[in-house]
Amino acid sequence: MRFELFIATRYLRAKRRQAFIGIITGISILGVAAGVASLIVALAINNGFRQDLQERLIGSTSHVSLLRVADDGIKDWPPLLERLSKQPHVIADAPAIFEQVLISRGPRARGAVLKGMIPADERKVGDLLSTIKEGSAAALDEDEALPPSDQPPSKETQNNPETSQNSTTDSPDSLAAVHARVAAMPPIILGKDMADNLGATVGSVVLVTSPQGELTPFGMVPKYSRFRVAAIFNSGFFDYDSSWAFTRLADAQRLFGLGDLISVIEFRIDDIYQADQVSRELEDAAGKGFMATNWMEQNKALFHALRLERLVTFITIGLIVFVAALNILISLIMMVMEKTKDIAVLMSMGTRRAQVRNIFIAQGVLIGVIGTALGLLVGYAISYAGGHYHMISLSPEVYSIDYVPFAPRLMDGLLVAVVAIGVSFIATLYPSWSAGRTLPAESLRYE
């Protein structure tokens, strides 16, 4: 052990005449530990929310989307889809249609985004169909039934077919006809919050109205069609669960009168962090008139807010470490005042001024290292327990998840440790400089 470190550890362990200095030293260690532990826990929570949000977003939507800028949709999309599927980093692709619609059931109505898709391809680029909690998406995989009628739904089919017998005759033939008409309707999958607001369950009949409409002798008339609720999904994201609905691509094309057009081609890639580069490559490969977007661009504001929150959290809770550093400063200044005679004796025996300074620097850094080690231990223990046992509950209606996610990272611990020990080192500079200026003759004159 080096001479300076040996003296520093002896000073920390020794019983002092002034117990107040020892109390301040203990408070300094606890302050550093509290600051480090708080930072580790706060950063783990921030990182947990970011990871959970990113996983849900990426799982729910495609990584890259290709749109047609000039026209109303993408024509002759099968050969384009086959050509783009061979681009580097592309592992899956799917055609889709996105349109704003009004979904109603009886007196209740909700605005929604209706996505027309091919279920087998949709499962390759997104995970929303795997979050179905009620019913089954198997109806979307079946061959299309008879074309839906464009006539407004009758009163009995606006309600659940199981309860429709209250408004019809008790004839078995009538009930069978109602069930047959419902079964012939195209299927639709609703989000959980939307289904709750509409009062719809699996098997209910909803009216989907397209605001685009069609031109008739009486002017522009909205197009509408009846759909049968085949399933209800619950992704955990309020925006999706309250405003998204899925149906088959052909049913959506028929509703919107698009023919064989699609509005977007979605892609899943092998490296989500290369989405910017891949989107540019797909845009160039598609040719003029196409525009590509990716999950980073679509959620840029959200992830920027999370990064800003992380920085503010680091600065705010880092003030605890700053206060602990002030305690280290006070403790060392009082230590220098108490050990003036010892310093003079050491210097008269040949100890150099640089060695005296190093003694108090080592003492302050030891306080920082001990506090940092305790803080890291406590912080990671709390983060592990919180993430493993879901100790902090949340309201899923507000936060979309029912517990606070913890995701501690090793890099966060290294960063916090460097900052805490660095602040502790800075706090030792003035006391160590003051100790090095001690004059042995003046200090021992009256001894």
Side-chain angles (χ1 to χ4, degrees):
M1 182 182 294
R2 292 189 58 183
F3 168 72
E4 296 93 328
L5 187 59
F6 175 75
I7 298 297
T9 54
R10 287 295 300 270
Y11 278 173
L12 284 178
R13 297 197 308 265
K15 295 181 180 179
R16 302 182 180 89
R17 292 188 300 271
Q18 298 180 2
F20 184 67
I21 301 177
I23 294 175
I24 293 181
T25 302
I27 293 175
S28 302
I29 294 175
L30 292 178
V32 173
V36 169
S38 301
L39 272 173
I40 293 297
V41 172
L43 294 178
I45 293 175
N46 180 276
N47 190 52
F49 274 112
R50 184 188 61 80
Q51 283 188 3
D52 184 83
L53 183 62
Q54 180 173 303
E55 289 174 359
R56 289 176 184 239
L57 281 173
I58 294 175
S60 302
T61 59
S62 60
H63 299 164
V64 179
S65 300
L66 184 69
L67 312 170
R68 184 73 178 177
V69 179
D71 302 331
D72 294 335
I74 302 176
K75 303 176 182 177
D76 300 325
W77 54 270
L80 176 64
L81 193 67
E82 182 179 358
R83 178 162 56 89
L84 295 180
S85 64
K86 300 177 182 178
Q87 287 293 114
H89 302 290
V90 174
I91 58 177
D93 47 54
I97 292 177
F98 288 93
E99 292 291 347
Q100 294 284 341
V101 297
L102 179 70
I103 301 179
S104 59
R105 183 175 183 269
R108 302 183 182 182
R110 292 279 297 183
V113 176
L114 181 64
K115 182 176 183 179
M117 47 80 206
I118 301 174
D121 294 337
E122 176 66 21
R123 292 186 179 94
K124 298 177 182 178
V125 298
D127 298 331
L128 282 181
L129 291 184
S130 64
T131 63
I132 291 177
K133 304 301 181 183
E134 300 178 35
S136 173
L140 277 71
D141 295 314
E142 299 171 357
D143 294 336
E144 292 186 26
L146 297 174
S149 172
D150 288 337
Q151 298 299 320
S154 59
K155 181 178 294 185
E156 70 266 20
T157 57
Q158 281 285 342
N159 299 317
N160 193 305
E162 285 78 8
T163 60
S164 61
Q165 50 188 322
N166 294 332
S167 57
T168 60
T169 64
D170 294 333
S171 170
D173 293 337
S174 299
L175 294 178
V178 171
H179 284 283
R181 287 198 299 269
V182 172
M185 296 176 186
I188 191 172
I189 299 177
L190 303 179
K192 181 180 182 301
D193 292 298
M194 180 187 297
D196 292 341
N197 288 325
L198 294 175
T201 58
V202 175
S204 297
V205 176
V206 295
L207 181 67
V208 178
T209 305
S210 170
Q212 295 178 347
E214 59 182 348
L215 187 61
T216 68
F218 301 99
M220 188 66 69
V221 176
K223 294 191 66 175
Y224 46 80
S225 182
R226 289 171 289 177
F227 284 78
R228 168 176 51 88
V229 178
I232 296 174
F233 71 88
N234 184 12
S235 66
F237 265 112
F238 180 76
D239 288 343
Y240 295 143
D241 296 339
S242 64
S243 60
W244 275 44
F246 293 90
T247 190
R248 294 178 296 203
L249 180 63
D251 294 329
Q253 289 172 335
R254 185 182 301 113
L255 173 65
F256 303 125
L258 297 178
D260 196 28
L261 294 180
I262 62 172
S263 59
V264 61
I265 299 178
E266 299 180 317
F267 299 91
R268 180 173 286 267
I269 60 178
D270 54 4
D271 187 354
I272 61 174
Y273 297 105
Q274 292 188 13
D276 283 331
Q277 176 185 346
V278 175
S279 61
R280 288 192 297 268
E281 293 175 354
L282 288 171
E283 188 174 315
D284 295 337
K288 187 178 180 180
F290 286 91
M291 179 186 69
T293 62
N294 57 74
W295 70 274
M296 291 181 176
E297 294 178 357
Q298 295 168 354
N299 303 286
K300 184 177 181 180
L302 180 60
F303 286 104
H304 176 72
L306 287 175
R307 285 194 296 269
L308 181 61
E309 180 185 356
R310 177 184 178 87
L311 177 62
V312 172
T313 299
F314 193 94
I315 294 174
T316 303
I317 302 182
L319 293 177
I320 300 176
V321 179
F322 178 74
V323 172
L326 292 181
N327 288 332
I328 295 175
L329 176 65
I330 295 172
S331 175
L332 291 180
I333 289 176
M334 298 183 68
M335 180 73 70
V336 170
M337 295 174 61
E338 180 190 0
K339 300 296 184 180
T340 300
K341 184 178 70 172
D342 296 350
I343 295 170
V345 171
L346 289 172
M347 294 180 70
S348 65
M349 295 174 63
T351 303
R352 296 188 299 273
R353 295 181 183 275
Q355 290 179 307
V356 172
R357 289 195 296 270
N358 290 339
I359 290 173
F360 291 94
I361 290 176
Q363 188 173 350
V365 171
L366 277 174
I367 294 174
V369 168
I370 295 172
T372 300
L374 290 175
L376 290 175
L377 182 63
V378 173
Y380 277 107
I382 294 175
S383 299
Y384 172 79
H388 187 71
Y389 298 105
H390 301 166
M391 297 172 60
I392 304 177
S393 300
L394 295 176
S395 173
E397 293 80 7
V398 178
Y399 298 98
S400 298
I401 54 177
D402 54 3
Y403 63 91
V404 173
F406 289 80
R409 298 191 307 176
L410 179 61
M411 287 302 300
D412 289 338
L414 294 176
L415 176 62
V416 171
V418 169
V419 170
I421 296 175
V423 171
S424 301
F425 169 76
I426 293 174
T428 66
L429 295 180
Y430 175 75
S432 62
W433 175 78
S434 177
R437 294 178 66 247
T438 301
L439 300 176
E442 292 293 332
S443 301
L444 296 176
R445 175 177 295 179
Y446 302 104
E447 294 296 331

